[in-house]
Amino acid sequence: MQIRNLLITLIFLIAAYLLPGQPPRVINFDNIEALPQVKINDIAQDYKGFVWLATSKGLYQFDGQKHKLYGRSTTLEYSNIAALYVSKLDSSLWVTATNGRAWQIKNTKIKCLNKGQYSETSNGTPIQSSFKETDTTLSFYTYGLEEYTFSNDSLVTKDTVNYLSIAFDLVKNLKSQWQQKVALFLQLNLVDLYNDKRFKKGNIMLFSNGNQATISFGNLTITANSEEIKYSFSPNIILEMIQVEGTVLKSISGIGLIIQRPEHKPDTILNNHTITKLFADRKNGIWAGSDNGDLFYIQNIESDHYQYPFSDIATYKSKVVLSEKNGALYALEDSKIKQIGKIPFPVNRLHFIDSNKLLVLGERKIHLLLMENNKLKLLQKASLKHDHINKYTVLENQIFTIGTNGLNVYSIDSARWKKKCLPKKHFTNISNHRGNIIITNDNGIWELNNGGKCHKISNQRVVSLGQSNKTLFLRDTQNKLSIINEKDEKSIYKIRPKAINSIEKHDSIILISNSEGALLCSIPNEKTWLNCDLINETAGLNIKKTIIYNNKLYALHKNGLLVVPFDKIKRQQQYRLQLNSPYLTKHKQREFFFDVDKNTENLNIEINKLNFTNSTEPKLYYKLHNDTTIYALSENYLAISKLSGGISHLQLSFDPTFKESEQIYHVIIKKEKQLHQTLAFQIGSLIVFFGLILLFLRHRIKTINKKNTLEAAQIAQMQTVLQQQMNPHFIFNSLTSINHFILQNKAMDSSRYLTKFSVLIRNILDNSKEALIPLAEELETLEVYLDLELLRFKDRFTYSINLAPDIDKNRLMLPPFILQPFVESALREGIINKPGKGNILLNIRYVKSSIQCTIIDDGIGRPDVFEQHTQKGKINVKNGTHIAEQRIDLYNKLKSRKITVQKEDMINHEGNAIGTKVILSFPINYK
């Protein structure tokens, strides 16, 4: 398990920190290990770093290298998984299928939460933005117009809803400044928009910021800002849409993935893929899943990347000019690339002589151009007939070039070439420093004197030479970097043995470009290693040249140009150690100490060189302090993430058993603790914290009981009011029936009805002030009511009340009038609206530690009832069932043992509604 966790940590460390971020550059994880041909419906990342994929053929777990089908040999296997939700309370993963079936994965254990309580025919796909989690419940809406509520890891309620109520509830997820404005617009327009012929159903998505709120529903987009609310229908359905730090990513069917960044034109990527899910991880990397199982990762969407084979870049004040090898010249303005001209020879280098003069260098030719308003005018051109231009430098209107035949100088003033000196060995580098031309080759360092002669000033063998901002850089064959400032002060530092493509200096920062990427270096106080951090956005790219300009980093590489806001750059700190041979026993350095800045969370330890006496290098192993797991080090890098403050210990050894103490190296990493991590701060905080708690408790303890008493009295009073609301409800319906018989001159029926009605009135008056009554009295009232309805609706229905033999109805207590509203709803909404005769069945029995009352009718079913109410405009009309449910909510607030209500639609084999089942569960209370 520890090896697996380390693997996951390293994989996601690479994904989140080291992979180059250059939208629209996309990493396709599908080429690591392909998923089957599935549709990716949802993506989530748990707190361990695993990425979970909800697909049409099951749930997959992805660790950065391979996919694993999760839940084999369970009901989860090969289910059509619709949505995922990671709980903020216990970190468990909630998994839902398209038919509403739900599972919970907690500590690798899988539990089905609503076994047998879902419908294969309904669309149980959750609306992602509708997930709501409290301390005790989790609920969500589905596209099948149902609301699921779970509590204590089981399904509590499943209710039918409509799109309007869902929309109003989802609006609460917007920022407060938009809620009322958007809700009013939806109330006035949503029904018309929903019925518009242009509307195409699809996913519901919404987000908001300080500037605007956006709701997307299928191909309908509603946008609200401070001035107006407007809507539009697009020809294509918006499949998915998210917002990350001001950047909007939108997947549109038939088009691809559109990335809209502030002040940028939209970028369209993944044109040949249908992206069905977008997910932003904790590092704001974007995971994208397609309808055929492809998984993509997009990182650092704030960066600009230009896919051109640029050969060089030059900047001067407000100008940024780039060249291609084919001679094309481009200007970069406002993040836009525009071609401004073409040179009739392959271009290798660009250089600004001043603000308007641009020098263009090829293999043998040079052009001097006048550049004004992105327009080019040729001023001079020249060519070398017997040499090449390998490298160059410019000093006082003269261009100094080196090639295979020595040093050549071109004078801009006289427009002529001059040959200066021819060494015994070819020159390899050239630069200028303090008004002098410095040249190097394998024999040493040379300087051009006033007489045009080259004389040797040092035997130091220089590999690379560079100049930037009056600072000269020389790197020798011993991997030492000499930095010479404008005062001719020289400092020498050790650097890594990698070829340097270029060195730039910006203020106190040094930028080194090489095949690994770009390094951001600072000069240490002590003359040891040069402190360099890898710029994560450039990692893995062979960087040819870097420039910091207008607070942006421009990194030129083989495939184009990467532009990153300088304040968004992420560093990966590098620490290095050198191990001696394990076979030498004397004068060994067995302990290494690293002092790490308190703001450092992640670092790389690089083992630069191993000096061994034998020809083969033995493997190196490592383990963390107090960890029994031993890992093999395959590369010369060790990445450590989430470094805590204080002292951390790392052990390395060539012995895989770590038993030979002579072969163990100890790496001690000391990180200064943040203020909140110090012991004194923590103790002081605890004292203050507990002191405030005591004061708070002292103040509150006197009012809690009083408040609870008042709340209990208020709830009890509200119960009485709601209970009394039932009385006129009964009386009104009964008087209506009596009036019906009188109008039809049915004296006997009116008399019988009036007699039963008097019994009903007596029961109402007797029980209206009681909190609980015996089940026998509740059933008596219910039977009187049903007999009254039978008198009115002759031969329209029958009813049956079945009481389990082990139930003592005279001792068992229930809230008064709690069953009648649900029976009335079954009769008046289900049975009466049905052609032919109907049946109502009431079963009462013990189930575990509760009394279960099941009301079953064979009426028209809730979907048809909802449709009739919609047509008649009665969606929000309160009825007896609504009042009863309010009474139940108030009862549950007072009592620890709850009353639950569960409603189910009964469906036949053809998928048609054949009735409704309502299950009420009451806690057992005896007289």
Side-chain angles (χ1 to χ4, degrees):
M1 181 63 69
Q2 291 172 337
I3 295 176
R4 189 179 190 182
N5 290 341
L6 180 67
L7 174 63
I8 295 166
T9 301
L10 292 176
I11 290 295
F12 283 97
L13 179 66
I14 293 171
Y17 291 96
L18 298 182
L19 291 174
Q22 41 180 332
R25 184 179 182 188
V26 177
I27 302 165
N28 184 359
F29 283 102
D30 192 53
N31 57 25
I32 298 176
E33 179 179 328
L35 279 169
Q37 289 295 314
V38 298
K39 177 184 177 183
I40 298 178
N41 295 320
D42 200 5
I43 304 173
Q45 185 180 29
D46 63 22
Y47 291 96
K48 294 181 180 179
F50 286 108
V51 171
W52 296 85
L53 308 175
T55 78
S56 56
K57 294 184 180 179
L59 177 67
Y60 285 83
Q61 185 188 59
F62 181 52
D63 63 3
Q65 285 190 330
K66 59 183 179 180
H67 312 98
K68 169 188 173 184
L69 180 62
Y70 205 84
R72 292 185 182 274
S73 302
T74 69
T75 54
L76 185 61
E77 184 178 13
Y78 299 119
S79 294
N80 190 351
I81 307 301
L84 304 171
Y85 179 80
V86 179
S87 171
K88 298 179 179 61
L89 298 178
D90 58 9
S91 302
S92 62
L93 179 67
W94 290 71
V95 184
T96 55
T98 54
N99 60 4
R101 197 165 191 173
W103 298 264
Q104 185 185 41
I105 301 176
K106 191 174 182 180
N107 298 327
T108 71
K109 294 181 180 179
I110 303 173
K111 181 180 180 181
C112 184
L113 303 179
N114 57 345
K115 188 175 182 181
Q117 298 173 327
Y118 60 95
S119 174
E120 293 289 354
T121 59
S122 65
N123 184 0
T125 302
I127 300 172
Q128 268 292 342
S129 52
S130 72
F131 276 94
K132 290 188 294 185
E133 187 176 24
T134 67
D135 292 340
T136 57
T137 64
L138 177 77
S139 63
F140 57 82
Y141 295 114
T142 72
Y143 286 100
L145 300 181
E146 293 178 326
E147 181 182 15
Y148 286 77
T149 302
F150 295 86
S151 180
N152 297 324
D153 299 339
S154 61
L155 181 65
V156 177
T157 60
K158 175 185 172 186
D159 295 322
T160 300
V161 292
N162 59 73
Y163 268 122
L164 195 59
S165 61
I166 291 175
F168 287 144
D169 204 16
L170 293 183
V171 166
K172 297 176 183 177
N173 295 328
L174 299 175
K175 288 185 177 293
S176 59
Q177 67 196 86
W178 304 113
Q179 290 179 8
Q180 185 175 358
K181 189 173 185 178
V182 174
L184 180 59
F185 176 84
L186 293 178
Q187 186 174 7
L188 296 174
N189 300 283
L190 185 59
V191 174
D192 292 336
L193 294 175
Y194 186 81
N195 295 323
D196 195 297
K197 294 181 180 180
R198 296 171 293 173
F199 174 66
K200 300 176 183 178
K201 288 185 180 180
N203 292 342
I204 300 175
M205 296 152 286
L206 69 167
F207 56 81
S208 61
N209 53 33
N211 298 321
Q212 70 176 32
T214 302
I215 298 177
S216 172
F217 183 11
N219 70 331
L220 170 64
T221 301
I222 301 172
T223 304
N225 55 39
S226 58
E227 298 178 354
E228 62 178 350
I229 296 182
K230 57 184 179 180
Y231 67 89
S232 61
F233 294 99
S234 64
N236 304 85
I237 294 177
I238 300 174
L239 302 174
E240 182 72 346
M241 181 168 59
I242 61 173
Q243 183 182 34
V244 181
E245 293 186 350
T247 297
V248 177
L249 294 95
K250 187 185 300 183
S251 172
I252 301 179
S253 62
I255 295 178
L257 182 61
I258 297 176
I259 301 178
Q260 178 64 70
R261 291 174 287 162
E263 300 178 0
H264 286 69
K265 284 187 175 181
D267 294 319
T268 301
I269 62 175
L270 302 175
N271 308 66
N272 298 323
H273 298 271
T274 301
I275 300 302
T276 53
K277 182 60 185 177
L278 296 170
F279 170 74
D281 61 21
R282 292 189 291 273
K283 298 298 181 183
N284 283 338
I286 307 300
W287 297 82
S290 75
D291 63 346
N292 62 357
D294 287 331
L295 179 65
F296 306 92
Y297 188 73
I298 310 166
Q299 191 185 11
N300 294 327
I301 56 178
E302 294 178 337
S303 304
D304 291 318
H305 192 269
Y306 304 94
Q307 298 281 359
Y308 291 80
F310 294 126
S311 58
D312 200 11
I313 181 173
T315 61
Y316 193 91
K317 293 186 177 179
S318 61
K319 296 183 175 67
V320 178
V321 179
L322 300 114
S323 63
E324 280 188 325
K325 194 73 176 177
N326 62 7
L329 297 181
Y330 300 89
L332 175 60
E333 290 183 354
D334 300 326
S335 301
K336 300 175 184 177
I337 293 287
K338 179 183 178 181
Q339 185 171 351
I340 57 176
K342 190 168 185 178
I343 305 300
F345 57 81
V347 176
N348 296 329
R349 297 286 186 270
L350 297 174
H351 185 92
F352 273 104
I353 302 293
D354 55 35
S355 60
N356 294 321
K357 294 179 181 178
L358 177 65
L359 179 65
V360 183
L361 299 96
E363 186 177 355
R364 291 179 180 271
K365 298 179 180 180
I366 63 173
H367 276 192
L368 184 62
L369 306 174
L370 178 66
M371 181 177 176
E372 292 181 341
N373 298 323
N374 288 338
K375 294 182 179 180
L376 302 177
K377 179 181 179 181
L378 180 63
L379 298 178
Q380 292 184 28
K381 63 179 180 179
S383 61
L384 279 171
K385 295 182 179 180
H386 305 293
D387 206 347
H388 296 82
I389 301 174
N390 292 335
K391 295 185 179 180
Y392 79 99
T393 188
V394 177
L395 181 65
E396 295 177 355
N397 269 4
Q398 295 186 95
I399 305 168
F400 298 82
T401 69
I402 56 173
T404 55
N405 294 326
L407 174 66
N408 300 287
V409 182
Y410 178 79
S411 172
I412 295 175
D413 296 333
S414 62
R416 295 181 58 187
W417 285 100
K418 293 181 182 179
K419 183 173 289 293
K420 288 297 182 180
C421 55
L422 181 64
K424 294 181 179 179
K425 287 194 175 184
H426 295 158
F427 288 135
T428 55
N429 296 282
I430 185 170
S431 187
N432 66 80
H433 181 62
R434 300 182 68 193
N436 299 316
I437 300 299
I438 307 297
I439 318 166
T440 67
N441 63 8
D442 290 343
N443 287 333
I445 303 174
W446 303 73
E447 185 178 72
L448 183 65
N449 61 23
N450 294 331
K453 301 290 185 179
C454 296
H455 66 279
K456 193 174 186 179
I457 59 174
S458 173
N459 291 323
Q460 184 181 4
R461 298 178 64 186
V462 175
V463 177
S464 57
L465 177 70
Q467 186 272 341
S468 177
N469 287 351
K470 300 180 181 180
T471 302
L472 186 68
F473 303 93
L474 300 97
R475 182 196 175 203
D476 62 18
T477 56
Q478 301 299 315
N479 294 321
K480 293 179 180 179
L481 181 66
S482 299
I483 301 177
I484 305 172
N485 62 20
E486 58 182 328
K487 297 179 181 179
D488 220 18
E489 297 172 341
K490 184 176 182 180
S491 302
I492 301 175
Y493 304 96
K494 295 180 182 179
I495 59 173
R496 297 169 58 188
K498 289 287 183 180
I500 294 177
N501 296 329
S502 71
I503 302 179
E504 302 288 335
K505 187 173 184 293
H506 179 79
D507 297 332
S508 60
I509 295 173
I510 297 173
L511 285 167
I512 296 179
S513 305
N514 62 20
S515 59
E516 291 181 346
L519 300 176
L520 201 60
C521 307
S522 58
I523 299 175
N525 295 327
E526 299 179 1
K527 296 180 180 181
T528 55
W529 289 93
L530 189 67
N531 295 332
C532 296
D533 301 332
L534 179 67
I535 298 175
N536 290 339
E537 288 80 358
T538 67
L541 297 175
N542 188 349
I543 303 297
K544 297 189 293 184
K545 186 176 182 179
T546 52
I547 295 174
I548 296 178
Y549 173 72
N550 279 351
N551 201 34
K552 290 183 179 180
L553 171 70
Y554 294 80
L556 190 69
H557 59 92
K558 179 181 178 181
N559 297 321
L561 176 69
L562 177 67
V563 183
V564 186
F566 193 73
D567 55 353
K568 300 292 183 180
I569 285 177
K570 299 174 184 175
R571 307 183 182 191
Q572 180 69 41
Q573 288 199 344
Q574 310 279 337
Y575 289 82
R576 303 167 185 84
L577 57 89
Q578 180 172 314
L579 303 183
N580 298 317
S581 166
Y583 307 106
L584 302 177
T585 57
K586 294 183 180 179
H587 308 295
K588 287 185 181 180
Q589 182 184 359
R590 291 295 176 188
E591 290 186 340
F592 299 87
F593 296 88
F594 292 149
D595 286 326
V596 180
D597 183 79
K598 64 181 180 181
N599 296 317
T600 300
E601 293 186 359
N602 309 294
L603 59 89
N604 270 355
I605 295 180
E606 177 194 359
I607 302 171
N608 268 328
K609 190 175 181 181
L610 302 176
N611 300 320
F612 300 103
T613 56
N614 61 343
S615 57
T616 59
E617 296 184 359
K619 283 188 177 181
L620 185 64
Y621 302 87
Y622 70 94
K623 69 175 184 176
L624 302 176
H625 185 58
N626 294 331
D627 190 352
T628 58
T629 306
I630 298 172
Y631 309 96
L633 191 68
S634 58
E635 303 290 342
N636 288 344
Y637 293 95
L638 184 60
I640 299 178
S641 62
K642 296 182 180 179
L643 186 66
S644 59
I647 306 295
S648 301
H649 296 269
L650 176 70
Q651 292 182 345
L652 300 100
S653 177
F654 299 98
D655 174 22
T657 65
F658 276 75
K659 292 182 179 179
E660 297 292 334
S661 59
E662 297 254 338
Q663 296 186 22
I664 297 178
Y665 295 83
H666 298 274
V667 180
I668 301 170
I669 304 169
K670 183 180 179 182
K671 176 183 175 181
E672 181 183 352
K673 292 184 177 181
Q674 301 276 4
L675 177 62
H676 66 274
Q677 295 176 326
T678 61
L679 181 62
F681 181 86
Q682 292 172 351
I683 293 175
S685 299
L686 286 174
I687 293 173
V688 173
F689 177 72
F690 284 112
L692 291 174
I693 288 179
L694 290 175
L695 290 174
F696 177 76
L697 290 176
R698 187 175 181 181
H699 174 73
R700 290 283 293 169
I701 200 167
K702 295 180 180 180
T703 60
I704 288 177
N705 291 333
K706 182 179 178 180
K707 181 181 178 181
N708 289 340
T709 302
L710 290 173
E711 287 180 351
Q714 289 175 349
I715 292 175
Q717 186 177 8
M718 290 175 68
Q719 272 192 310
T720 301
V721 171
L722 288 172
Q723 186 170 314
Q724 290 174 352
Q725 281 184 338
M726 300 293 293
N727 302 346
H729 181 74
F730 277 125
I731 295 170
F732 175 81
N733 288 337
S734 299
L735 290 176
T736 300
S737 298
I738 294 172
N739 184 59
H740 172 76
F741 287 123
I742 293 173
L743 290 175
Q744 293 186 354
N745 295 318
K746 296 181 179 180
M748 291 302 295
D749 289 339
S750 299
S751 176
R752 285 195 298 269
Y753 203 105
L754 192 57
T755 301
K756 288 185 176 293
F757 176 68
S758 64
V759 175
L760 185 61
I761 292 295
R762 184 198 64 195
N763 290 345
I764 291 174
L765 294 176
D766 289 343
N767 298 327
S768 61
K769 295 183 180 180
E770 300 294 334
L772 297 172
I773 63 172
L775 175 60
E777 295 183 16
E778 177 72 7
L779 294 179
E780 179 187 358
T781 303
L782 184 61
E783 289 177 350
V784 171
Y785 166 75
L786 287 170
D787 289 341
L788 286 172
E789 296 290 40
L790 275 173
L791 287 172
R792 179 181 177 185
F793 302 106
K794 288 184 177 181
D795 299 323
R796 293 296 303 278
F797 75 97
T798 62
Y799 75 89
S800 175
I801 300 176
N802 299 322
L803 187 66
D806 56 345
I807 292 180
D808 187 349
K809 63 180 181 179
N810 294 314
R811 294 184 61 236
L812 189 64
M813 307 295 285
L814 295 179
F817 318 125
I818 200 69
L819 298 177
Q820 187 274 341
F822 296 97
V823 173
E824 180 187 7
S825 177
L827 173 62
R828 293 189 175 264
E829 295 183 351
I831 300 297
I832 300 304
N833 293 318
K834 170 187 175 183
K837 193 172 184 178
N839 299 281
I840 297 176
L841 177 64
L842 173 61
N843 293 325
I844 303 175
R845 59 172 181 161
Y846 284 115
V847 176
K848 295 183 179 179
S849 59
S850 64
I851 294 295
Q852 188 180 87
C853 300
T854 304
I855 303 167
I856 302 174
D857 71 79
D858 58 356
I860 62 173
R862 291 190 299 167
D864 290 341
V865 171
F866 176 76
E867 183 178 353
Q868 291 181 4
H869 283 189
T870 303
Q871 294 173 353
K872 297 177 181 179
K874 297 181 178 180
I875 294 179
N876 297 318
V877 175
K878 294 183 179 180
N879 53 26
T881 306
H882 180 81
I883 297 173
E885 288 174 345
Q886 285 186 303
R887 290 179 59 202
I888 290 172
D889 289 340
L890 291 173
Y891 178 93
N892 290 340
K893 289 181 181 180
L894 283 174
K895 306 295 183 180
S896 58
R897 295 184 298 165
K898 312 297 183 184
I899 299 175
T900 63
V901 180
Q902 183 176 337
K903 299 177 182 179
E904 298 180 7
D905 295 320
M906 296 190 295
I907 309 295
N908 62 14
H909 66 281
E910 296 178 349
N912 297 321
I914 57 173
T916 305
K917 180 193 292 185
V918 179
I919 302 173
L920 292 95
S921 297
F922 299 91
I924 297 176
N925 292 301
Y926 287 110
K927 186 187 292 187

